[in-house]
Amino acid sequence: MLTLQQIKADPQFIVERLAVKGFDGQKPIARVLALDDLRRQLQLKNDNAAAELNRKAAEIGKALKAGNKEEAEAAKAGVAVLKEEQKALAEELARTEGEIREELLNIPNIPYSGVPAGTSAADNVVEKTGGPIPELGPDALPHWELAKKYNLIDFDLGVKITGAGFPVYLGKGAKLQRALIQFFLDEASKAGYLEVQPPYVVNEASGYGTGQLPDKEGQMYLCNLDKLYLIPTAEVPVTNLYRDVIIPNDRLPIKNCAYSACFRREAGSYGKDVRGLNRLHQFDKVEIVRIEKPENSYAALEEMKDHVQGLLEKLGLPWHILRLCGGDMSFTSAITFDFEVYSAAQQRWLEVSSVSNFETYQANRLKCRYRGEDKKTHLCHTLNGSALALPRIVAAILEDFQTPEGIIVPECLRKYTGFDIID
């Protein structure tokens, strides 16, 4: 969340930057400032009451030492009244601080200066493109038909066992899936990321820490009995490893990667764009997460983008990078780049990765700090990205590399799959 210091330093600037995301911050920012004024008044009254209590306690001590019991008893009566007043002040102060936090939790991150204006995906900017778009013949099939033809994925079995959006991978389809996971993890390891294996369920504190709550509770699966959430991405548990942590200066940067299953309700999704692997409720993904000093985070963001680009180039898929406009960005992000691959049979671009810098927004929620060379604590910058999400990568491989003889497996995966072609 935004810090009070950010808001108080230049509230009009915050309102103007929030408008780039399509968020009207005028009233929420004014509310935060008014509550902060009240908090400071209450804190002053509370401090004064505490000082008066100390003074009265000293008076009682002096009176008792002088043997003046009547004066001591009178002072004690005054102390009792003061204690009740201070208790009420402390309760009001805590309530006001809670209201400030609630207001801050519902204000999105401000976009970085390089974020273009815009209201929807139509306003995103294509920043870079690579890889030739394959030209398929008239008999080319979409991936859901290829999956059935080669017995790779059974969507109907998934419906039987669970419901729509939970496919069952079979034979070479399952091996292709596993090959991609291992390839992505190995490439992340080569790039210096430490692999971690996190839980697939998180508590409310973790959801609030990375900003899924209170923004996206409708998209998350909730285990009601235990108040635990199935993770929508490994970003949530991995970033929360550093919640309430002060990181030594020489330990930064931190680079983690994790494979996990991901679970998203995708409420409201329907139509042709959700066919096959295009939009699932459960899918696999390898995530990269970085904890950085603020002055290094944008260089780290470029490294992450280069890493994802390198994966797509090794797979031989056509790709482009989008710089998201303010209106298409997430609640928590300061800047986001989406990577899309071209699905030749569907003749459309499919998102396979988002790489984002959250600056101090998540770190402030998490209380993720580092101790600088000045011996003071400072908020870190957090970043993450998909490297990569599997379903649409699988869809693009099946469609783009189909031939009359079968589907050609990208060369970088063959040592993992043990076969060169799906036939």
Side-chain angles (χ1 to χ4, degrees), residues 9-298:
D10 194 343
Q12 190 54 39
F13 171 77
I14 299 295
V15 170
E16 289 170 1
R17 293 311 298 160
L18 288 171
V20 176
K21 274 192 171 180
F23 183 85
D24 185 356
Q26 198 74 48
K27 288 183 179 178
I29 296 301
R31 172 75 174 152
V32 166
L33 294 174
L35 284 168
D36 186 55
D37 283 341
L38 175 60
R39 180 196 62 79
R40 285 188 286 109
Q41 294 170 24
L42 291 169
Q43 186 67 63
L44 180 61
K45 289 180 181 179
N46 194 54
D47 292 345
N48 290 339
E52 182 65 13
L53 273 172
N54 289 335
R55 191 179 67 78
K56 288 286 186 185
E59 285 181 7
I60 293 168
K62 286 179 183 177
L64 289 172
K65 193 173 182 181
N68 192 337
K69 290 185 178 180
E70 287 184 9
E71 187 179 329
E73 288 302 319
K76 284 181 180 179
V79 165
V81 172
L82 273 172
K83 281 185 175 179
E84 286 300 314
E85 289 177 358
Q86 191 189 30
K87 181 183 177 184
L89 280 168
E91 289 173 353
E92 190 175 357
L93 178 60
R95 190 163 52 250
T96 302
E97 288 173 340
E99 289 177 15
I100 292 172
R101 179 171 172 79
E102 284 302 310
E103 288 288 340
L104 290 173
L105 283 171
N106 286 287
I107 298 173
N109 198 1
I110 57 172
Y112 178 64
S113 59
V115 171
T119 58
S120 70
D123 300 310
N124 295 337
V125 177
V126 177
E127 188 169 88
K128 198 173 182 182
T129 301
I133 293 178
E135 295 183 10
L136 302 181
D139 296 330
L141 299 174
H143 69 269
W144 52 87
E145 292 186 26
L146 291 165
K148 186 173 183 179
K149 177 179 178 180
Y150 294 106
N151 197 31
L152 305 174
I153 307 166
D154 195 316
F155 295 100
D156 293 333
L157 268 181
V159 172
K160 172 186 173 182
I161 296 167
T162 308
F166 296 88
V168 175
Y169 297 84
L170 305 167
K172 288 186 175 180
K175 288 182 178 179
L176 178 62
Q177 184 91 340
R178 180 156 46 87
L180 282 162
I181 293 166
Q182 193 61 59
F183 170 62
F184 294 152
L185 285 173
D186 285 352
E187 291 297 302
S189 180
K190 289 177 191 175
Y193 290 88
L194 175 69
E195 183 178 349
V196 297
Q197 192 172 60
Y200 290 178
V201 292
V202 293
N203 54 30
E204 272 192 324
S206 294
Y208 275 97
T210 45
Q212 278 67 36
L213 300 175
D215 180 49
K216 291 186 173 62
E217 52 266 81
Q219 294 296 327
M220 297 171 72
Y221 284 99
L222 171 64
C223 306
N224 287 300
L225 189 62
D226 302 297
K227 201 68 175 175
L228 296 174
Y229 293 86
L230 297 181
I231 62 170
T233 164
E235 165 206 344
V236 182
V238 174
T239 311
N240 270 277
L241 294 174
Y242 307 99
R243 174 157 46 94
D244 298 319
V245 172
I246 298 175
I247 302 166
N249 186 61
D250 60 2
R251 225 192 126 195
L252 291 175
I254 290 172
K255 300 169 66 175
N256 289 155
C257 68
Y259 155 72
S260 78
C262 303
F263 304 88
R264 300 182 186 178
R265 293 185 61 243
E266 298 290 3
S269 297
Y270 60 92
K272 64 182 179 62
D273 291 346
V274 303
R275 290 199 67 178
L277 298 172
N278 287 345
R279 194 171 296 275
L280 301 178
H281 296 301
Q282 177 185 320
F283 61 94
D284 293 320
K285 181 154 70 82
V286 172
E287 190 81 359
I288 52 175
V289 173
R290 293 179 70 147
I291 312 293
E292 294 278 350
K293 293 180 184 178
E295 62 267 27
N296 299 332
S297 72
Y298 277 90

